[in-house]
Amino acid sequence: MQEQNFATIPLTLSQDLGFMRQEGIEVTVTIGQSTSTMTAGLMGGSFDLQIGGSELVVARQQGAPLIAIDGMCNSPIWSVVAKPGITGLDQLRGRTIATSGPSTVSTVALVATLKRQGIPPGSYRQFTAGGTAERFTAVRNGQADATVVTSPLEFQAVDQGLRNLGSLYDAMPNFASGFVVTTKTFAAHHDAELVGFSRGWLRTLRWMHDPANEHDLVQRVSKILKTPQPVIEQAYGYWLTGKRAEALFPADGKIDLPALNGAIKAFVDHGAMKKVTSVDGFVVNTYLDRATESL
Protein backbone atom coordinates (compact mmCIF):
# COMPACT_ATOMS: atom_id res chain seq x y z
CA MET A 1 0.00 0.00 0.00
CA GLN A 2 1.08 3.57 -0.65
CA GLU A 3 1.20 4.88 2.92
CA GLN A 4 0.15 3.93 6.41
CA ASN A 5 -2.74 6.01 7.72
CA PHE A 6 -6.07 5.69 9.51
CA ALA A 7 -7.84 4.53 6.35
CA THR A 8 -5.47 1.61 5.70
CA ILE A 9 -5.29 0.56 9.33
CA PRO A 10 -7.45 -2.61 8.96
CA LEU A 11 -4.54 -4.50 7.40
CA THR A 12 -2.10 -3.63 10.19
CA LEU A 13 -4.72 -4.28 12.86
CA SER A 14 -5.49 -7.68 11.35
CA GLN A 15 -1.87 -8.59 12.08
CA ASP A 16 -1.64 -6.77 15.40
CA LEU A 17 -4.73 -8.58 16.67
CA GLY A 18 -3.44 -11.92 15.37
CA PHE A 19 -6.44 -12.56 13.12
CA MET A 20 -4.42 -13.24 9.98
CA ARG A 21 -2.06 -15.55 11.82
CA GLN A 22 -5.02 -17.45 13.28
CA GLU A 23 -6.30 -17.94 9.74
CA GLY A 24 -2.94 -19.34 8.65
CA ILE A 25 -2.08 -16.27 6.60
CA GLU A 26 1.41 -14.76 6.75
CA VAL A 27 1.27 -11.11 5.66
CA THR A 28 4.28 -9.02 4.68
CA VAL A 29 3.38 -5.37 4.09
CA THR A 30 5.21 -3.12 1.64
CA ILE A 31 4.58 0.60 2.18
CA GLY A 32 5.58 3.73 0.32
CA GLN A 33 5.40 2.85 -3.36
CA SER A 34 3.19 4.58 -5.91
CA THR A 35 0.00 2.87 -7.05
CA SER A 36 1.42 2.29 -10.52
CA THR A 37 4.60 0.73 -9.10
CA MET A 38 2.61 -1.52 -6.79
CA THR A 39 0.29 -2.59 -9.60
CA ALA A 40 3.28 -3.44 -11.78
CA GLY A 41 4.67 -5.48 -8.89
CA LEU A 42 1.33 -7.21 -8.46
CA MET A 43 1.19 -8.08 -12.15
CA GLY A 44 4.80 -9.28 -12.08
CA GLY A 45 4.28 -11.49 -9.05
CA SER A 46 6.27 -9.42 -6.54
CA PHE A 47 3.06 -8.88 -4.54
CA ASP A 48 0.08 -11.18 -4.07
CA LEU A 49 -2.45 -8.57 -2.94
CA GLN A 50 -2.70 -4.81 -3.23
CA ILE A 51 -4.62 -2.22 -1.26
CA GLY A 52 -5.36 0.49 -3.76
CA GLY A 53 -7.84 3.00 -5.03
CA SER A 54 -10.08 3.42 -8.02
CA GLU A 55 -7.05 3.88 -10.31
CA LEU A 56 -7.03 0.09 -10.33
CA VAL A 57 -10.24 0.15 -12.36
CA VAL A 58 -8.34 2.20 -14.93
CA ALA A 59 -5.62 -0.47 -15.00
CA ARG A 60 -8.27 -3.12 -15.47
CA GLN A 61 -9.83 -1.20 -18.36
CA GLN A 62 -6.39 -1.13 -19.95
CA GLY A 63 -6.20 -4.91 -19.80
CA ALA A 64 -4.77 -5.77 -16.38
CA PRO A 65 -6.45 -9.03 -15.17
CA LEU A 66 -7.34 -7.70 -11.72
CA ILE A 67 -10.16 -8.68 -9.38
CA ALA A 68 -11.33 -6.85 -6.25
CA ILE A 69 -12.10 -9.19 -3.36
CA ASP A 70 -12.62 -7.09 -0.20
CA GLY A 71 -13.89 -3.61 0.58
CA MET A 72 -12.07 -0.99 2.61
CA CYS A 73 -13.22 2.55 1.74
CA ASN A 74 -16.64 2.93 0.15
CA SER A 75 -16.36 6.71 0.37
CA PRO A 76 -13.73 9.43 -0.10
CA ILE A 77 -11.23 9.18 2.73
CA TRP A 78 -9.71 12.64 2.42
CA SER A 79 -10.24 16.00 4.05
CA VAL A 80 -9.19 19.37 2.68
CA VAL A 81 -6.75 21.39 4.77
CA ALA A 82 -5.77 24.95 3.94
CA LYS A 83 -3.57 27.73 5.17
CA PRO A 84 -4.97 30.25 7.67
CA GLY A 85 -7.40 32.71 6.17
CA ILE A 86 -9.17 30.20 3.93
CA THR A 87 -12.40 29.17 5.60
CA GLY A 88 -14.29 27.27 2.91
CA LEU A 89 -13.97 25.32 -0.32
CA ASP A 90 -15.55 28.25 -2.17
CA GLN A 91 -12.38 30.24 -1.45
CA LEU A 92 -10.12 27.86 -3.38
CA ARG A 93 -10.83 29.58 -6.69
CA GLY A 94 -7.55 31.08 -7.96
CA ARG A 95 -5.54 29.22 -5.31
CA THR A 96 -2.72 26.69 -5.62
CA ILE A 97 -3.57 23.14 -4.57
CA ALA A 98 -1.00 20.41 -3.90
CA THR A 99 -1.97 17.00 -5.29
CA SER A 100 -0.48 13.52 -5.52
CA GLY A 101 -0.66 13.56 -9.32
CA PRO A 102 -2.88 14.67 -12.20
CA SER A 103 -5.16 11.60 -12.22
CA THR A 104 -4.68 9.83 -8.88
CA VAL A 105 -7.75 8.78 -6.95
CA SER A 106 -7.40 11.59 -4.39
CA THR A 107 -7.02 14.20 -7.14
CA VAL A 108 -10.03 12.88 -9.07
CA ALA A 109 -12.13 12.96 -5.90
CA LEU A 110 -11.02 16.51 -5.08
CA VAL A 111 -11.65 17.82 -8.61
CA ALA A 112 -15.10 16.21 -8.63
CA THR A 113 -15.88 17.76 -5.26
CA LEU A 114 -14.80 21.23 -6.35
CA LYS A 115 -16.90 20.90 -9.51
CA ARG A 116 -19.92 20.29 -7.31
CA GLN A 117 -19.04 23.48 -5.45
CA GLY A 118 -19.04 25.43 -8.74
CA ILE A 119 -15.24 25.56 -8.97
CA PRO A 120 -14.22 23.96 -12.29
CA PRO A 121 -10.72 22.82 -13.25
CA GLY A 122 -8.76 25.74 -14.59
CA SER A 123 -10.03 28.11 -11.93
CA TYR A 124 -7.26 26.96 -9.58
CA ARG A 125 -3.67 25.77 -9.99
CA GLN A 126 -2.42 22.26 -9.26
CA PHE A 127 1.07 20.98 -8.68
CA THR A 128 2.24 17.49 -7.87
CA ALA A 129 3.74 17.31 -4.39
CA GLY A 130 3.61 13.57 -3.64
CA GLY A 131 2.04 11.61 -0.80
CA THR A 132 -0.02 12.90 2.09
CA ALA A 133 2.96 13.98 4.18
CA GLU A 134 4.56 15.85 1.28
CA ARG A 135 1.30 17.59 0.37
CA PHE A 136 0.76 18.57 3.98
CA THR A 137 4.28 20.01 4.15
CA ALA A 138 3.65 21.98 0.95
CA VAL A 139 0.77 23.82 2.65
CA ARG A 140 2.71 24.35 5.85
CA ASN A 141 5.70 25.89 4.06
CA GLY A 142 3.60 28.07 1.75
CA GLN A 143 4.12 26.25 -1.54
CA ALA A 144 0.39 25.55 -1.71
CA ASP A 145 -2.76 27.12 -0.33
CA ALA A 146 -4.56 23.82 0.25
CA THR A 147 -4.44 20.08 -0.27
CA VAL A 148 -6.23 16.86 0.59
CA VAL A 149 -4.89 14.68 3.39
CA THR A 150 -5.72 11.30 4.83
CA SER A 151 -6.78 10.98 8.45
CA PRO A 152 -5.54 11.74 11.07
CA LEU A 153 -3.62 14.64 9.49
CA GLU A 154 -6.73 16.80 9.19
CA PHE A 155 -6.88 16.93 12.99
CA GLN A 156 -3.17 17.52 13.41
CA ALA A 157 -3.43 20.34 10.87
CA VAL A 158 -5.64 22.34 13.20
CA ASP A 159 -3.11 21.94 16.02
CA GLN A 160 -0.47 23.38 13.67
CA GLY A 161 -2.47 26.45 12.75
CA LEU A 162 -4.03 25.27 9.48
CA ARG A 163 -7.73 25.04 8.64
CA ASN A 164 -9.72 21.83 8.24
CA LEU A 165 -12.29 22.57 5.51
CA GLY A 166 -14.07 19.26 5.93
CA SER A 167 -14.08 15.84 4.32
CA LEU A 168 -14.81 15.07 0.68
CA TYR A 169 -17.35 12.54 1.95
CA ASP A 170 -19.70 15.37 2.85
CA ALA A 171 -19.82 16.53 -0.80
CA MET A 172 -19.80 13.18 -2.60
CA PRO A 173 -20.30 10.12 -0.38
CA ASN A 174 -20.73 7.70 -3.30
CA PHE A 175 -17.10 7.37 -4.33
CA ALA A 176 -15.31 4.12 -3.50
CA SER A 177 -11.70 5.02 -2.84
CA GLY A 178 -10.04 1.85 -1.62
CA PHE A 179 -10.29 -1.94 -1.73
CA VAL A 180 -8.21 -5.12 -1.85
CA VAL A 181 -7.27 -6.55 -5.24
CA THR A 182 -5.34 -9.48 -6.61
CA THR A 183 -4.74 -10.98 -10.03
CA LYS A 184 -6.83 -13.68 -11.68
CA THR A 185 -3.68 -15.79 -11.96
CA PHE A 186 -2.96 -15.68 -8.24
CA ALA A 187 -6.62 -16.32 -7.40
CA ALA A 188 -6.72 -19.39 -9.63
CA HIS A 189 -4.00 -21.07 -7.55
CA HIS A 190 -4.69 -19.72 -4.04
CA ASP A 191 -8.37 -20.21 -3.37
CA ALA A 192 -8.05 -21.27 0.27
CA GLU A 193 -5.57 -18.49 1.07
CA LEU A 194 -7.90 -15.80 -0.29
CA VAL A 195 -10.79 -17.15 1.77
CA GLY A 196 -8.53 -17.13 4.83
CA PHE A 197 -7.38 -13.58 4.11
CA SER A 198 -10.99 -12.42 3.66
CA ARG A 199 -11.96 -14.08 6.92
CA GLY A 200 -9.15 -12.30 8.78
CA TRP A 201 -10.11 -9.03 7.05
CA LEU A 202 -13.78 -9.43 7.99
CA ARG A 203 -12.96 -10.30 11.60
CA THR A 204 -10.88 -7.12 11.79
CA LEU A 205 -13.64 -4.90 10.39
CA ARG A 206 -16.19 -6.38 12.79
CA TRP A 207 -13.78 -5.84 15.69
CA MET A 208 -13.32 -2.20 14.67
CA HIS A 209 -17.08 -1.61 14.63
CA ASP A 210 -17.59 -3.01 18.13
CA PRO A 211 -17.87 -0.01 20.53
CA ALA A 212 -16.43 -2.17 23.29
CA ASN A 213 -13.09 -2.10 21.47
CA GLU A 214 -12.82 1.68 21.13
CA HIS A 215 -10.17 2.21 23.81
CA ASP A 216 -8.09 -0.75 22.62
CA LEU A 217 -8.36 0.41 18.99
CA VAL A 218 -7.26 3.95 19.84
CA GLN A 219 -4.25 2.65 21.77
CA ARG A 220 -3.20 0.27 19.01
CA VAL A 221 -3.63 2.78 16.19
CA SER A 222 -1.84 5.48 18.16
CA LYS A 223 1.15 3.15 18.50
CA ILE A 224 1.04 1.98 14.87
CA LEU A 225 0.80 5.49 13.41
CA LYS A 226 3.06 7.03 16.08
CA THR A 227 0.37 9.64 16.68
CA PRO A 228 -0.91 10.98 20.03
CA GLN A 229 -3.99 9.23 21.34
CA PRO A 230 -6.16 12.40 21.47
CA VAL A 231 -5.68 12.78 17.69
CA ILE A 232 -6.66 9.16 17.05
CA GLU A 233 -9.68 9.64 19.32
CA GLN A 234 -10.80 12.48 17.05
CA ALA A 235 -10.31 10.32 13.97
CA TYR A 236 -12.21 7.47 15.60
CA GLY A 237 -15.13 9.72 16.50
CA TYR A 238 -15.26 11.21 13.02
CA TRP A 239 -14.82 8.07 10.91
CA LEU A 240 -16.01 5.17 13.05
CA THR A 241 -19.20 6.56 14.54
CA GLY A 242 -22.34 7.74 12.78
CA LYS A 243 -23.02 7.72 9.03
CA ARG A 244 -19.37 7.59 7.93
CA ALA A 245 -18.61 4.35 9.76
CA GLU A 246 -20.14 1.95 7.24
CA ALA A 247 -18.83 3.98 4.31
CA LEU A 248 -15.20 3.93 5.35
CA PHE A 249 -14.88 0.51 6.94
CA PRO A 250 -17.82 -1.68 5.76
CA ALA A 251 -18.59 -4.13 8.56
CA ASP A 252 -19.69 -6.72 5.98
CA GLY A 253 -16.42 -6.27 4.09
CA LYS A 254 -18.16 -5.66 0.78
CA ILE A 255 -17.36 -3.16 -1.94
CA ASP A 256 -20.36 -0.89 -2.45
CA LEU A 257 -21.18 -1.14 -6.15
CA PRO A 258 -23.01 2.22 -6.47
CA ALA A 259 -20.01 3.88 -4.78
CA LEU A 260 -17.59 2.11 -7.12
CA ASN A 261 -19.66 3.17 -10.12
CA GLY A 262 -19.62 6.72 -8.74
CA ALA A 263 -15.82 6.65 -8.68
CA ILE A 264 -15.69 5.26 -12.22
CA LYS A 265 -17.96 8.06 -13.47
CA ALA A 266 -15.71 10.63 -11.78
CA PHE A 267 -12.65 9.12 -13.48
CA VAL A 268 -14.39 9.32 -16.85
CA ASP A 269 -15.46 12.92 -16.24
CA HIS A 270 -11.88 13.69 -15.26
CA GLY A 271 -10.56 12.19 -18.48
CA ALA A 272 -8.56 9.49 -16.71
CA MET A 273 -10.79 6.76 -18.21
CA LYS A 274 -12.04 6.62 -21.79
CA LYS A 275 -15.53 5.39 -20.97
CA VAL A 276 -17.65 4.03 -18.15
CA THR A 277 -16.73 0.39 -17.68
CA SER A 278 -18.77 -2.40 -16.14
CA VAL A 279 -17.61 -3.84 -12.83
CA ASP A 280 -18.87 -7.29 -13.83
CA GLY A 281 -15.99 -9.70 -13.32
CA PHE A 282 -13.96 -7.11 -11.41
CA VAL A 283 -15.70 -7.31 -8.04
CA VAL A 284 -15.59 -10.95 -6.97
CA ASN A 285 -17.44 -11.70 -3.72
CA THR A 286 -16.80 -15.43 -3.77
CA TYR A 287 -14.02 -15.39 -1.17
CA LEU A 288 -15.73 -12.94 1.14
CA ASP A 289 -19.05 -14.82 0.96
CA ARG A 290 -17.36 -18.08 1.92
CA ALA A 291 -15.45 -16.32 4.70
CA THR A 292 -18.71 -14.86 6.02
CA GLU A 293 -20.43 -18.26 6.01
CA SER A 294 -17.61 -19.80 8.03
CA LEU A 295 -17.61 -17.17 10.80
Side-chain angles (χ1 to χ4, degrees):
M1 57 187 172
Q2 226 173 330
E3 55 191 11
Q4 182 77 287
N5 52 57
F6 193 76
T8 61
I9 207 67
L11 181 59
T12 311
L13 278 177
S14 71
Q15 296 172 279
D16 200 48
L17 292 163
F19 292 158
M20 287 298 177
R21 184 172 60 255
Q22 291 165 17
E23 299 296 341
I25 304 299
E26 184 69 31
V27 177
T28 300
V29 179
T30 300
I31 300 173
Q33 299 185 346
S34 68
T35 297
S36 60
T37 299
M38 288 189 295
T39 304
L42 183 69
M43 298 302 301
S46 298
F47 308 125
D48 301 321
L49 299 166
Q50 179 181 350
I51 289 180
S54 305
E55 301 110 317
L56 294 168
V57 181
V58 179
R60 184 215 181 213
Q61 190 182 67
Q62 294 171 345
L66 302 175
I67 58 172
I69 63 170
D70 295 311
M72 183 180 74
C73 303
N74 286 329
S75 70
I77 60 175
W78 306 276
S79 294
V80 181
V81 299
K83 67 182 184 181
I86 299 176
T87 59
L89 295 179
D90 59 323
Q91 296 176 24
L92 294 182
R93 188 183 299 272
R95 305 283 189 168
T96 298
I97 300 176
T99 70
S100 56
S103 299
T104 60
V105 62
S106 61
T107 300
V108 171
L110 174 64
V111 169
T113 298
L114 293 179
K115 277 185 179 179
R116 293 191 176 197
Q117 301 295 317
I119 308 172
S123 63
Y124 50 89
R125 297 175 296 277
Q126 296 183 47
F127 84 93
T128 300
T132 295
E134 290 77 16
R135 299 195 304 271
F136 184 68
T137 299
V139 177
R140 287 186 60 198
N141 66 20
Q143 283 182 286
D145 298 305
T147 192
V148 287
V149 298
T150 312
S151 205
L153 268 179
E154 73 269 53
F155 303 108
Q156 292 174 294
V158 175
D159 293 336
Q160 297 182 33
L162 302 180
R163 298 296 297 260
N164 179 4
L165 304 185
S167 97
L168 301 190
Y169 171 90
D170 296 328
M172 48 181 303
N174 289 322
F175 184 104
S177 59
F179 32 81
V180 182
V181 302
T182 188
T183 64
K184 292 181 180 179
T185 302
F186 182 82
H189 298 92
H190 297 86
D191 181 85
E193 289 93 332
L194 291 181
V195 173
F197 178 91
S198 293
R199 191 159 46 233
W201 186 261
L202 184 57
R203 289 176 65 188
T204 304
L205 293 175
R206 289 181 177 181
W207 183 89
M208 292 175 70
H209 277 276
D210 187 343
N213 297 324
E214 176 181 354
H215 182 68
D216 191 7
L217 185 151
V218 168
Q219 284 190 318
R220 289 175 185 270
V221 175
S222 173
K223 183 177 179 180
I224 292 168
L225 298 185
K226 298 179 176 59
T227 303
Q229 286 192 30
V231 174
I232 301 302
E233 287 170 356
Q234 291 182 76
Y236 178 94
Y238 190 81
W239 290 112
L240 265 172
T241 60
K243 62 181 181 179
R244 299 181 186 88
E246 276 301 316
L248 184 61
F249 303 119
D252 61 4
K254 290 187 176 181
I255 299 168
D256 183 81
L257 294 184
L260 181 57
N261 284 324
I264 291 172
K265 184 179 184 302
F267 268 82
V268 173
D269 291 344
H270 190 82
M273 290 181 69
K274 294 181 180 179
K275 61 181 180 179
V276 173
T277 185
S278 171
V279 297
D280 292 342
F282 177 62
V283 177
V284 177
N285 290 319
T286 305
Y287 309 103
L288 184 63
D289 288 343
R290 288 161 60 194
T292 302
E293 290 171 0
S294 61
L295 282 178

